Tab-separated table of all heavy atoms in Angstrom:
chain	number	residue	atom	x	y	z
A	145	TYR	N	14.107	-20.894	2.209
A	145	TYR	CA	14.160	-19.434	2.075
A	145	TYR	C	15.576	-19.102	1.623
A	145	TYR	O	16.533	-19.315	2.357
A	145	TYR	CB	13.824	-18.774	3.412
A	145	TYR	CG	13.483	-17.304	3.309
A	145	TYR	CD1	12.205	-16.889	2.979
A	145	TYR	CD2	14.458	-16.331	3.544
A	145	TYR	CE1	11.883	-15.549	2.885
A	145	TYR	CE2	14.149	-14.984	3.455
A	145	TYR	CZ	12.854	-14.600	3.124
A	145	TYR	OH	12.548	-13.266	3.027
A	146	ASP	N	15.712	-18.555	0.404
A	146	ASP	CA	17.017	-18.529	-0.257
A	146	ASP	C	17.850	-17.284	0.048
A	146	ASP	O	18.720	-16.911	-0.732
A	146	ASP	CB	16.842	-18.661	-1.774
A	146	ASP	CG	16.006	-17.524	-2.359
A	146	ASP	OD1	15.546	-16.659	-1.589
A	146	ASP	OD2	15.812	-17.530	-3.594
A	147	GLN	N	17.598	-16.635	1.175
A	147	GLN	CA	18.386	-15.468	1.568
A	147	GLN	C	18.327	-15.303	3.072
A	147	GLN	O	17.572	-15.988	3.752
A	147	GLN	CB	17.868	-14.219	0.870
A	147	GLN	CG	16.401	-13.922	1.135
A	147	GLN	CD	15.883	-12.754	0.320
A	147	GLN	OE1	16.481	-11.684	0.328
A	147	GLN	NE2	14.764	-12.948	-0.388
A	148	ASP	N	19.123	-14.402	3.590
A	148	ASP	CA	19.069	-14.078	5.005
A	148	ASP	C	17.661	-13.605	5.339
A	148	ASP	O	17.151	-12.654	4.718
A	148	ASP	CB	20.083	-12.975	5.322
A	148	ASP	CG	20.009	-12.537	6.774
A	148	ASP	OD1	20.659	-13.167	7.609
A	148	ASP	OD2	19.272	-11.566	7.043
A	149	VAL	N	17.008	-14.250	6.299
A	149	VAL	CA	15.595	-13.988	6.523
A	149	VAL	C	15.355	-12.572	7.029
A	149	VAL	O	14.364	-11.916	6.676
A	149	VAL	CB	14.993	-15.043	7.475
A	149	VAL	CG1	15.574	-14.941	8.880
A	149	VAL	CG2	13.472	-14.925	7.508
A	150	GLY	N	16.272	-12.042	7.838
A	150	GLY	CA	16.098	-10.683	8.336
A	150	GLY	C	16.123	-9.661	7.223
A	150	GLY	O	15.216	-8.818	7.091
A	151	HIS	N	17.167	-9.732	6.381
A	151	HIS	CA	17.271	-8.806	5.246
A	151	HIS	C	16.150	-9.063	4.235
A	151	HIS	O	15.598	-8.126	3.644
A	151	HIS	CB	18.636	-8.945	4.570
A	151	HIS	CG	19.764	-8.433	5.416
A	151	HIS	ND1	19.843	-7.130	5.847
A	151	HIS	CD2	20.858	-9.066	5.913
A	151	HIS	CE1	20.940	-6.966	6.568
A	151	HIS	NE2	21.566	-8.125	6.633
A	152	GLY	N	15.811	-10.333	4.021
A	152	GLY	CA	14.786	-10.665	3.038
A	152	GLY	C	13.420	-10.141	3.426
A	152	GLY	O	12.702	-9.547	2.601
A	153	VAL	N	13.018	-10.332	4.687
A	153	VAL	CA	11.712	-9.863	5.132
A	153	VAL	C	11.669	-8.335	5.175
A	153	VAL	O	10.669	-7.721	4.773
A	153	VAL	CB	11.358	-10.477	6.502
A	153	VAL	CG1	10.097	-9.836	7.066
A	153	VAL	CG2	11.155	-11.984	6.360
A	154	GLN	N	12.768	-7.706	5.605
A	154	GLN	CA	12.792	-6.243	5.620
A	154	GLN	C	12.702	-5.688	4.200
A	154	GLN	O	11.980	-4.712	3.944
A	154	GLN	CB	14.066	-5.727	6.296
A	154	GLN	CG	14.161	-4.209	6.385
A	154	GLN	CD	13.050	-3.585	7.216
A	154	GLN	OE1	12.813	-4.007	8.350
A	154	GLN	NE2	12.355	-2.606	6.661
A	155	GLY	N	13.390	-6.317	3.257
A	155	GLY	CA	13.301	-5.878	1.870
A	155	GLY	C	11.900	-6.050	1.306
A	155	GLY	O	11.391	-5.176	0.593
A	156	ALA	N	11.260	-7.180	1.645
A	156	ALA	CA	9.884	-7.402	1.192
A	156	ALA	C	8.940	-6.371	1.798
A	156	ALA	O	8.005	-5.892	1.142
A	156	ALA	CB	9.433	-8.816	1.548
A	157	LEU	N	9.185	-6.011	3.053
A	157	LEU	CA	8.377	-4.983	3.703
A	157	LEU	C	8.517	-3.648	2.979
A	157	LEU	O	7.517	-2.996	2.660
A	157	LEU	CB	8.800	-4.834	5.161
A	157	LEU	CG	8.209	-3.638	5.915
A	157	LEU	CD1	6.689	-3.739	5.993
A	157	LEU	CD2	8.820	-3.532	7.318
A	158	ASP	N	9.726	-3.247	2.712
A	158	ASP	CA	9.950	-1.957	2.046
A	158	ASP	C	9.271	-1.926	0.679
A	158	ASP	O	8.628	-0.932	0.311
A	158	ASP	CB	11.449	-1.699	1.887
A	158	ASP	CG	12.163	-1.502	3.219
A	158	ASP	OD1	11.472	-1.203	4.219
A	158	ASP	OD2	13.402	-1.667	3.255
A	159	ARG	N	9.400	-3.022	-0.069
A	159	ARG	CA	8.799	-3.054	-1.403
A	159	ARG	C	7.277	-3.141	-1.336
A	159	ARG	O	6.572	-2.587	-2.198
A	159	ARG	CB	9.374	-4.221	-2.205
A	159	ARG	CG	10.844	-4.029	-2.597
A	159	ARG	CD	11.329	-5.113	-3.536
A	159	ARG	NE	11.455	-6.399	-2.875
A	159	ARG	CZ	12.530	-6.813	-2.209
A	159	ARG	NH1	13.594	-6.011	-2.094
A	159	ARG	NH2	12.571	-8.012	-1.654
A	160	THR	N	6.744	-3.838	-0.315
A	160	THR	CA	5.291	-3.931	-0.149
A	160	THR	C	4.693	-2.576	0.207
A	160	THR	O	3.664	-2.170	-0.346
A	160	THR	CB	4.950	-4.977	0.929
A	160	THR	OG1	5.414	-6.266	0.503
A	160	THR	CG2	3.453	-5.044	1.180
A	161	VAL	N	5.333	-1.864	1.113
A	161	VAL	CA	4.870	-0.517	1.453
A	161	VAL	C	4.890	0.372	0.213
A	161	VAL	O	3.936	1.110	-0.066
A	161	VAL	CB	5.736	0.084	2.578
A	161	VAL	CG1	5.456	1.580	2.738
A	161	VAL	CG2	5.483	-0.646	3.891
A	162	ALA	N	5.967	0.294	-0.557
A	162	ALA	CA	6.078	1.123	-1.768
A	162	ALA	C	4.985	0.777	-2.773
A	162	ALA	O	4.410	1.675	-3.413
A	162	ALA	CB	7.454	0.951	-2.404
A	163	TYR	N	4.685	-0.533	-2.928
A	163	TYR	CA	3.634	-0.936	-3.866
A	163	TYR	C	2.302	-0.302	-3.481
A	163	TYR	O	1.606	0.304	-4.314
A	163	TYR	CB	3.472	-2.467	-3.908
A	163	TYR	CG	2.202	-2.852	-4.627
A	163	TYR	CD1	2.160	-2.922	-6.009
A	163	TYR	CD2	1.004	-3.052	-3.920
A	163	TYR	CE1	0.973	-3.205	-6.681
A	163	TYR	CE2	-0.176	-3.334	-4.581
A	163	TYR	CZ	-0.192	-3.406	-5.961
A	163	TYR	OH	-1.378	-3.657	-6.615
A	164	TRP	N	1.882	-0.454	-2.227
A	164	TRP	CA	0.562	0.017	-1.826
A	164	TRP	C	0.470	1.539	-1.864
A	164	TRP	O	-0.551	2.094	-2.283
A	164	TRP	CB	0.213	-0.514	-0.435
A	164	TRP	CG	-0.169	-1.960	-0.473
A	164	TRP	CD1	0.601	-3.031	-0.104
A	164	TRP	CD2	-1.406	-2.512	-0.924
A	164	TRP	NE1	-0.087	-4.201	-0.291
A	164	TRP	CE2	-1.325	-3.919	-0.796
A	164	TRP	CE3	-2.583	-1.954	-1.422
A	164	TRP	CZ2	-2.371	-4.768	-1.147
A	164	TRP	CZ3	-3.628	-2.786	-1.771
A	164	TRP	CH2	-3.519	-4.183	-1.638
A	165	GLN	N	1.517	2.201	-1.438
A	165	GLN	CA	1.460	3.659	-1.457
A	165	GLN	C	1.419	4.192	-2.882
A	165	GLN	O	0.775	5.213	-3.152
A	165	GLN	CB	2.644	4.235	-0.668
A	165	GLN	CG	2.516	3.962	0.829
A	165	GLN	CD	3.639	4.543	1.651
A	165	GLN	OE1	4.711	4.883	1.132
A	165	GLN	NE2	3.430	4.659	2.952
A	166	ASP	N	2.059	3.498	-3.800
A	166	ASP	CA	1.976	3.898	-5.198
A	166	ASP	C	0.579	3.633	-5.753
A	166	ASP	O	0.043	4.446	-6.523
A	166	ASP	CB	3.027	3.148	-6.023
A	166	ASP	CG	3.064	3.610	-7.475
A	166	ASP	OD1	3.355	4.789	-7.708
A	166	ASP	OD2	2.792	2.791	-8.370
A	167	TRP	N	-0.046	2.507	-5.359
A	167	TRP	CA	-1.408	2.206	-5.814
A	167	TRP	C	-2.383	3.276	-5.325
A	167	TRP	O	-3.210	3.777	-6.090
A	167	TRP	CB	-1.834	0.821	-5.314
A	167	TRP	CG	-3.175	0.381	-5.827
A	167	TRP	CD1	-3.463	-0.132	-7.062
A	167	TRP	CD2	-4.424	0.430	-5.117
A	167	TRP	NE1	-4.810	-0.408	-7.157
A	167	TRP	CE2	-5.422	-0.085	-5.996
A	167	TRP	CE3	-4.787	0.838	-3.831
A	167	TRP	CZ2	-6.761	-0.187	-5.608
A	167	TRP	CZ3	-6.122	0.747	-3.457
A	167	TRP	CH2	-7.091	0.234	-4.341
A	168	VAL	N	-2.269	3.642	-4.057
A	168	VAL	CA	-3.153	4.669	-3.508
A	168	VAL	C	-2.922	6.014	-4.190
A	168	VAL	O	-3.860	6.775	-4.441
A	168	VAL	CB	-2.962	4.775	-1.980
A	168	VAL	CG1	-3.660	6.010	-1.423
A	168	VAL	CG2	-3.478	3.512	-1.284
A	169	ARG	N	-1.654	6.299	-4.503
A	169	ARG	CA	-1.310	7.582	-5.124
A	169	ARG	C	-2.040	7.785	-6.446
A	169	ARG	O	-2.300	8.922	-6.859
A	169	ARG	CB	0.203	7.652	-5.351
A	169	ARG	CG	0.721	8.982	-5.852
A	169	ARG	CD	2.244	8.960	-5.906
A	169	ARG	NE	2.741	7.969	-6.838
A	169	ARG	CZ	2.900	8.166	-8.139
A	169	ARG	NH1	2.574	9.327	-8.675
A	169	ARG	NH2	3.363	7.214	-8.915
A	170	LYS	N	-2.431	6.707	-7.114
A	170	LYS	CA	-3.081	6.797	-8.423
A	170	LYS	C	-4.608	6.862	-8.328
A	170	LYS	O	-5.277	6.975	-9.351
A	170	LYS	CB	-2.669	5.600	-9.282
A	170	LYS	CG	-1.169	5.570	-9.587
A	170	LYS	CD	-0.763	4.279	-10.262
A	170	LYS	CE	0.742	4.239	-10.488
A	170	LYS	NZ	1.186	2.932	-11.040
A	171	LEU	N	-5.146	6.788	-7.106
A	171	LEU	CA	-6.593	6.864	-6.951
A	171	LEU	C	-7.067	8.304	-7.111
A	171	LEU	O	-6.382	9.258	-6.720
A	171	LEU	CB	-7.015	6.353	-5.564
A	171	LEU	CG	-6.741	4.897	-5.230
A	171	LEU	CD1	-7.194	4.591	-3.811
A	171	LEU	CD2	-7.422	3.951	-6.214
A	172	TYR	N	-8.271	8.433	-7.664
A	172	TYR	CA	-8.912	9.744	-7.715
A	172	TYR	C	-9.788	9.863	-6.479
A	172	TYR	O	-10.822	9.203	-6.371
A	172	TYR	CB	-9.752	9.908	-8.984
A	172	TYR	CG	-10.419	11.260	-9.052
A	172	TYR	CD1	-9.691	12.381	-9.431
A	172	TYR	CD2	-11.752	11.418	-8.698
A	172	TYR	CE1	-10.284	13.632	-9.464
A	172	TYR	CE2	-12.353	12.663	-8.732
A	172	TYR	CZ	-11.612	13.768	-9.114
A	172	TYR	OH	-12.194	15.009	-9.129
A	173	LEU	N	-9.367	10.704	-5.531
A	173	LEU	CA	-10.028	10.784	-4.238
A	173	LEU	C	-10.913	12.020	-4.150
A	173	LEU	O	-10.617	13.055	-4.747
A	173	LEU	CB	-8.993	10.841	-3.112
A	173	LEU	CG	-8.087	9.626	-2.951
A	173	LEU	CD1	-7.048	9.899	-1.879
A	173	LEU	CD2	-8.901	8.388	-2.585
A	174	PRO	N	-11.993	11.936	-3.362
A	174	PRO	CA	-12.748	13.152	-3.065
A	174	PRO	C	-11.920	14.055	-2.152
A	174	PRO	O	-10.958	13.604	-1.516
A	174	PRO	CB	-13.992	12.620	-2.348
A	174	PRO	CG	-13.540	11.346	-1.707
A	174	PRO	CD	-12.538	10.751	-2.666
A	175	LEU	N	-12.295	15.308	-2.086
A	175	LEU	CA	-11.575	16.242	-1.227
A	175	LEU	C	-11.730	15.871	0.247
A	175	LEU	O	-10.763	15.904	1.012
A	175	LEU	CB	-12.089	17.667	-1.471
A	175	LEU	CG	-11.536	18.777	-0.569
A	175	LEU	CD1	-10.020	18.889	-0.711
A	175	LEU	CD2	-12.215	20.099	-0.905
A	176	ASP	N	-12.931	15.510	0.640
A	176	ASP	CA	-13.216	15.165	2.036
A	176	ASP	C	-13.222	13.650	2.236
A	176	ASP	O	-13.321	12.885	1.284
A	176	ASP	CB	-14.578	15.739	2.438
A	176	ASP	CG	-14.626	17.248	2.317
A	176	ASP	OD1	-13.638	17.906	2.694
A	176	ASP	OD2	-15.654	17.758	1.829
A	177	TYR	N	-13.093	13.229	3.479
A	177	TYR	CA	-13.209	11.818	3.884
A	177	TYR	C	-12.121	10.943	3.270
A	177	TYR	O	-12.317	9.742	3.074
A	177	TYR	CB	-14.581	11.248	3.508
A	177	TYR	CG	-15.748	12.125	3.848
A	177	TYR	CD1	-16.520	12.714	2.843
A	177	TYR	CD2	-16.109	12.376	5.178
A	177	TYR	CE1	-17.612	13.523	3.142
A	177	TYR	CE2	-17.199	13.188	5.483
A	177	TYR	CZ	-17.943	13.758	4.459
A	177	TYR	OH	-19.020	14.553	4.754
A	178	GLN	N	-10.956	11.495	2.999
A	178	GLN	CA	-9.946	10.718	2.273
A	178	GLN	C	-9.442	9.520	3.065
A	178	GLN	O	-9.233	8.441	2.502
A	178	GLN	CB	-8.784	11.625	1.873
A	178	GLN	CG	-9.164	12.619	0.796
A	178	GLN	CD	-7.967	13.351	0.221
A	178	GLN	OE1	-6.825	12.932	0.359
A	178	GLN	NE2	-8.232	14.469	-0.433
A	179	GLU	N	-9.246	9.684	4.354
A	179	GLU	CA	-8.751	8.555	5.158
A	179	GLU	C	-9.721	7.384	5.079
A	179	GLU	O	-9.323	6.225	4.902
A	179	GLU	CB	-8.552	9.006	6.606
A	179	GLU	CG	-8.178	7.876	7.575
A	179	GLU	CD	-9.384	7.146	8.160
A	179	GLU	OE1	-10.450	7.785	8.319
A	179	GLU	OE2	-9.278	5.937	8.435
A	180	ALA	N	-11.018	7.673	5.193
A	180	ALA	CA	-12.028	6.609	5.148
A	180	ALA	C	-12.058	5.942	3.779
A	180	ALA	O	-12.169	4.713	3.670
A	180	ALA	CB	-13.398	7.187	5.494
A	181	VAL	N	-11.969	6.741	2.722
A	181	VAL	CA	-12.027	6.199	1.359
A	181	VAL	C	-10.797	5.351	1.064
A	181	VAL	O	-10.903	4.251	0.485
A	181	VAL	CB	-12.170	7.340	0.339
A	181	VAL	CG1	-11.976	6.829	-1.083
A	181	VAL	CG2	-13.531	8.005	0.476
A	182	ILE	N	-9.632	5.818	1.448
A	182	ILE	CA	-8.399	5.055	1.192
A	182	ILE	C	-8.451	3.706	1.890
A	182	ILE	O	-8.138	2.663	1.288
A	182	ILE	CB	-7.162	5.859	1.646
A	182	ILE	CG1	-6.923	7.037	0.686
A	182	ILE	CG2	-5.923	4.970	1.712
A	182	ILE	CD1	-5.882	8.018	1.177
A	183	ARG	N	-8.871	3.699	3.152
A	183	ARG	CA	-8.895	2.417	3.873
A	183	ARG	C	-9.931	1.477	3.266
A	183	ARG	O	-9.686	0.269	3.138
A	183	ARG	CB	-9.197	2.678	5.350
A	183	ARG	CG	-9.105	1.443	6.234
A	183	ARG	CD	-7.814	0.692	6.088
A	183	ARG	NE	-6.651	1.556	6.178
A	183	ARG	CZ	-5.450	1.218	5.750
A	183	ARG	NH1	-5.244	0.033	5.184
A	183	ARG	NH2	-4.430	2.056	5.862
A	184	ALA	N	-11.081	2.009	2.879
A	184	ALA	CA	-12.096	1.160	2.245
A	184	ALA	C	-11.591	0.608	0.925
A	184	ALA	O	-11.784	-0.576	0.609
A	184	ALA	CB	-13.388	1.953	2.041
A	185	ALA	N	-10.924	1.441	0.131
A	185	ALA	CA	-10.440	1.001	-1.180
A	185	ALA	C	-9.370	-0.080	-1.035
A	185	ALA	O	-9.383	-1.093	-1.760
A	185	ALA	CB	-9.882	2.190	-1.956
A	186	ILE	N	-8.424	0.112	-0.129
A	186	ILE	CA	-7.380	-0.896	0.089
A	186	ILE	C	-8.014	-2.220	0.493
A	186	ILE	O	-7.644	-3.294	-0.020
A	186	ILE	CB	-6.383	-0.416	1.162
A	186	ILE	CG1	-5.495	0.698	0.609
A	186	ILE	CG2	-5.522	-1.574	1.665
A	186	ILE	CD1	-4.593	1.338	1.657
A	187	THR	N	-8.984	-2.178	1.389
A	187	THR	CA	-9.581	-3.421	1.884
A	187	THR	C	-10.420	-4.101	0.814
A	187	THR	O	-10.444	-5.339	0.729
A	187	THR	CB	-10.402	-3.136	3.147
A	187	THR	OG1	-9.591	-2.411	4.082
A	187	THR	CG2	-10.861	-4.423	3.798
A	188	LEU	N	-11.106	-3.322	-0.013
A	188	LEU	CA	-11.814	-3.937	-1.140
A	188	LEU	C	-10.830	-4.654	-2.058
A	188	LEU	O	-11.124	-5.747	-2.570
A	188	LEU	CB	-12.591	-2.877	-1.919
A	188	LEU	CG	-13.850	-2.331	-1.251
A	188	LEU	CD1	-14.484	-1.243	-2.104
A	188	LEU	CD2	-14.873	-3.442	-0.971
A	189	LYS	N	-9.685	-4.066	-2.273
A	189	LYS	CA	-8.675	-4.737	-3.107
A	189	LYS	C	-8.198	-6.029	-2.442
A	189	LYS	O	-7.950	-7.032	-3.129
A	189	LYS	CB	-7.502	-3.791	-3.373
A	189	LYS	CG	-6.450	-4.356	-4.327
A	189	LYS	CD	-5.424	-3.293	-4.699
A	189	LYS	CE	-4.245	-3.861	-5.487
A	189	LYS	NZ	-4.637	-4.300	-6.846
A	190	LEU	N	-8.094	-6.028	-1.116
A	190	LEU	CA	-7.698	-7.251	-0.413
A	190	LEU	C	-8.737	-8.353	-0.565
A	190	LEU	O	-8.416	-9.539	-0.428
A	190	LEU	CB	-7.481	-6.968	1.078
A	190	LEU	CG	-6.327	-6.051	1.465
A	190	LEU	CD1	-6.214	-5.973	2.985
A	190	LEU	CD2	-5.009	-6.524	0.865
């Protein structure tokens, strides 16, 4: 592991959160049931 593991994992966390939130931001969501749709969509991608 070519960096300080604490800083490296925290940086990866920040960038991972940013990636997923940006992916969700581009979804066309229905007005209702958004929490359910977002979680289903993320898991289908997984």
Side-chain angles (χ1 to χ4, degrees):
Y145 196 84
D146 60 359
Q147 57 186 308
D148 176 86
V149 66
H151 291 300
V153 172
Q154 181 62 51
L157 170 62
D158 294 341
R159 290 187 290 274
T160 298
V161 168
Y163 167 83
W164 284 103
Q165 291 182 342
D166 185 62
W167 185 79
V168 169
R169 186 175 63 85
K170 297 172 183 175
L171 297 179
Y172 180 78
L173 297 175
L175 175 60
D176 300 319
Y177 314 112
Q178 290 190 18
E179 174 273 330
V181 170
I182 288 170
R183 186 52 49 198
I186 288 173
T187 308
L188 287 177
K189 185 172 172 69
L190 294 184

